[in-house]
Structure formats: C-alpha cells, structure tokens
Amino acid sequence: MDAILPVLPPSIRDVIAALPEEVRQRVEEIRIRENRPLEVVTAEGTGFVATGGRWRTHAERSYVPNREDCTKLLNLISQHSLYALEEELRRGYVTVDGGHRIGLAGKVVVENGKVKHLRDVTGFNIRLARQVKGTGKPLIPYVFRPDRVENVLIVSPPQCGKTTLLRDLARIASAGEWGVKPRKVGIVDERSEIAGCLRGVPQHDVGPRTDVLDACPKAEGMMMMIRSMSPEILVVDEIGRKEDSEAVYEAVFAGVNLFVTAHGRSLDEICRRPGLTALIREGVFTRVVLLSRRLRPGTIEGIYDSSLKRMDRERSVRAR
C-alpha cells in the first residue's frame, strides 16, 4: 500500500491512508471512477470509503472522485507525460513501482480495426501486487521429481491466486529451494503481472536464474524465449487462444517444461474450452491444480494427474 500512495492524487491519498490498518493490509484493489464512489476491494468483499477513511458497505456519503482527481492520477502515473504512456494506453494498463498494475478504462480510439490507444480515461483499477513466498511449497512433491519436472496447469476463476502461485513456483524452481534442483526459468509476462517488470527489471522475486520477456504476446514470446534463452521451464499466465496452444505444443516438443495458468471455475469448464481441449485430452499437462477463494485466495481444491484423476485427497484434507 505504501508504494501505491505516491501515485494517488492528494485527495484520494488522504482518504485511503486514513483507512483502518486492518483494512489497508487486506486491500486487493482500489477502484477509482469519475463521479462515482471510491471503492476498495478486499479478500472479504467490497466496500466504499468516505472522508476520514470510514469504511462503508454502501455508497451513501462515500468519497466521489471528480475529473480533477482522475486527471491528476493520470498525470502522476505518467509522470506528466502521456506520450510516455502511449503503449500502455493501447494495452489498457500501466505497471508502477512495486509491480502493482493499474487498469485503465475510457474512450477507445480504433484505427484500421485495431485499438490505437485510450483517451478520456475516467476509470482506474489499482491492483495491489503482493508476493506471497511459500505458496508453491505444498505442490513440490507433485511437481518436482528427482528425475523430471511435471508440466503444470493452474486453473481458477479471477482473483483466486493463480498468478501468485505461478510466480512462486517459478521462484522455487529458479532458486532451488526446499531441496528442489535449480533450473533455468523463462517467464513470458504478457501483462506484466508475474514478474511485475518496471523498465525491464522484475519488481517481484522470481529467482536468480530467471529471464523475463515483459509485455510480449504469449505465443510469440514462448518461441522467442526458447530460441534465445534456452530455458528448462517456461512460465506463462492465462493461456487459452489457439495460438497459445500451438506454442505450448512447440515448447513440449522442444523438451521444455511448462508452468501455465488458465481461467476456469472447474475442470469440466476447462475441458470445454476450444483452445485447451486438445491439450487436456492428449495429457500435455501432467499436473492440473484447481484453486478457489473458498477459505482464502489460493485455496487448493485439488491436484490432478494427466488423466484428471485426483492425487491429493488425503494430503489436501490434512493441509487445510
């Protein structure tokens, strides 16, 4: 939270800074929308914030950001140079110090059928990045074998800890923690969320043997990483398109192991997604991990083998 406060305009900064400490520590998102109540999202749910940091479950008398607030926020994010944000405005998000990501919403400018950039930005979603080291430790017996590494697919709905777990598995593999043999890791970070790079430098600890392609399309980036950096493990977030699947096959045929994630509420849902069906059917992923927020973000609901047979029932019960 302290890293985010400097990019907020003073009026909003004061409101957020005044939140009770127990709320501030649980904040996952700060949603700022012009002429609509200031919203804060925590693991327990959403609420609105009034002047003085008063936390409300309803929008009445909450602080309402105005045009000046939004303009100041955009200036602070861009360091008063919107030209410097040209690529970010096209992608719809900005990564700031600490690896935190700010999603943007506004008027989309389209040229030749493609998004050129955003203008009249009036919506901001500040997603606080928190690295939680050790989240991958329960998976070590299932993923890291003495003679090999399993190909891992992590599945969950949004905001259930997929990227946090993926990041930690990459770090464990790269650092060689808890008896794991260290390996070369390559991260293709299309949305700058895994490593949280700022000017090419990871803001999260992704391990000493890890190379990152930041803001690079996944399918193209996987091939670039294999050709240029010869990773033993390739790490990619949120696959699902046809070109992603083709790149996964290429990586597997090149002898590279994969740690990847995909959106889905269940294994059945994942199996019906056109871009993933063949990968699942052919057993490309030898470990499939299903996450939820049932107990907390990152709750492991099950670990499955390539045939989707559950492996962790007894271990899972004891871990919880």
Side-chain angles (χ1 to χ4, degrees):
M1 178 66 75
D2 290 340
I4 282 295
L5 292 177
V7 303
L8 297 177
S11 53
I12 297 178
R13 184 188 312 155
D14 292 344
V15 173
I16 296 296
L19 281 168
E21 181 64 22
E22 63 272 18
V23 175
R24 290 181 58 195
Q25 292 299 321
R26 300 197 305 272
V27 171
E28 295 180 352
E29 296 180 352
I30 302 171
R31 290 184 171 266
I32 299 166
R33 305 175 178 98
E34 185 177 320
N35 296 329
R36 282 169 288 174
L38 178 63
E39 182 184 16
V40 170
V41 180
T42 71
E44 290 76 27
T46 68
F48 300 97
V49 189
T51 303
R54 291 186 295 275
W55 174 260
R56 302 177 182 275
T57 57
H58 52 84
E60 185 180 354
R61 294 194 299 276
S62 298
Y63 183 82
V64 178
N66 55 29
R67 171 57 62 91
E68 183 179 2
D69 288 328
C70 292
T71 300
K72 286 182 178 179
L73 177 55
L74 194 58
N75 285 334
L76 287 167
I77 294 170
S78 66
Q79 297 181 340
H80 299 275
S81 174
L82 286 182
Y83 177 78
L85 280 187
E86 185 175 354
E87 178 61 22
E88 287 84 352
L89 289 172
R90 186 186 66 81
R91 294 185 312 202
Y93 63 87
V94 181
T95 303
V96 297
D97 283 332
H100 308 292
R101 196 177 77 161
I102 304 177
L104 307 171
K107 173 69 174 179
V108 177
V109 178
V110 178
E111 187 175 275
N112 298 324
K114 294 184 178 181
V115 174
K116 184 178 180 181
H117 62 84
L118 283 174
R119 72 181 188 193
D120 301 328
V121 179
T122 59
F124 305 81
N125 178 21
I126 302 174
R127 297 186 64 179
L128 275 71
R130 288 192 174 93
Q131 180 159 19
V132 186
K133 294 184 178 181
T135 55
K137 188 175 181 180
L139 296 181
I140 288 177
Y142 301 97
V143 175
F144 300 99
R145 303 291 186 166
D147 59 339
R148 69 183 189 278
V149 177
E150 307 289 352
N151 293 328
V152 180
L153 171 64
I154 302 169
V155 178
S156 85
Q159 293 189 294
C160 288
K162 289 190 305 299
T163 304
T164 300
L165 179 56
L166 184 69
R167 181 188 303 124
D168 203 51
L169 286 176
R171 184 189 62 83
I172 290 169
S174 176
E177 289 190 348
W178 295 304
V180 172
K181 176 185 174 182
R183 291 172 170 86
K184 294 180 293 181
V185 176
I187 296 176
V188 181
D189 203 359
E190 183 171 5
R191 301 187 305 157
S192 304
E193 279 195 301
I194 307 172
C197 287
L198 185 67
R199 293 181 290 276
V201 179
Q203 302 296 291
H204 298 300
D205 180 4
V206 290
R209 298 173 181 84
T210 300
D211 301 296
V212 182
L213 279 177
D214 184 51
C216 181
K218 289 185 283 287
E220 184 177 355
M222 283 190 268
M223 294 302 96
M224 288 175 60
M225 183 65 76
I226 290 171
R227 289 192 297 265
S228 62
M229 305 306 293
S230 64
E232 296 171 87
I233 299 172
L234 200 54
V235 178
V236 184
D237 210 3
E238 296 184 11
I239 66 168
R241 297 176 300 175
K242 180 182 177 182
E243 53 267 37
D244 298 339
S245 298
E246 292 172 351
V248 165
Y249 279 120
E250 291 290 337
V252 171
F253 294 150
V256 179
N257 290 111
L258 295 160
F259 295 167
V260 305
T261 71
H263 279 309
R265 290 170 293 187
S266 67
L267 298 186
D268 287 341
E269 185 174 298
I270 284 292
C271 290
R272 291 195 299 268
R273 290 185 60 180
L276 297 174
T277 300
L279 296 174
I280 298 291
R281 185 177 62 246
E282 295 175 22
V284 169
F285 301 111
T286 52
R287 296 292 181 267
V288 179
V289 182
L290 186 63
L291 301 182
S292 77
R293 294 174 65 101
R294 185 171 55 85
L295 301 179
R296 60 186 179 278
T299 298
I300 297 176
E301 294 292 350
I303 304 171
Y304 304 83
D305 64 14
S306 58
S307 64
L308 300 186
K309 179 180 178 181
R310 185 160 183 168
M311 304 177 64
D312 70 316
R313 192 173 301 278
E314 293 182 3
R315 289 177 181 265
S316 179
V317 170
R318 287 200 295 269
R320 291 172 189 166

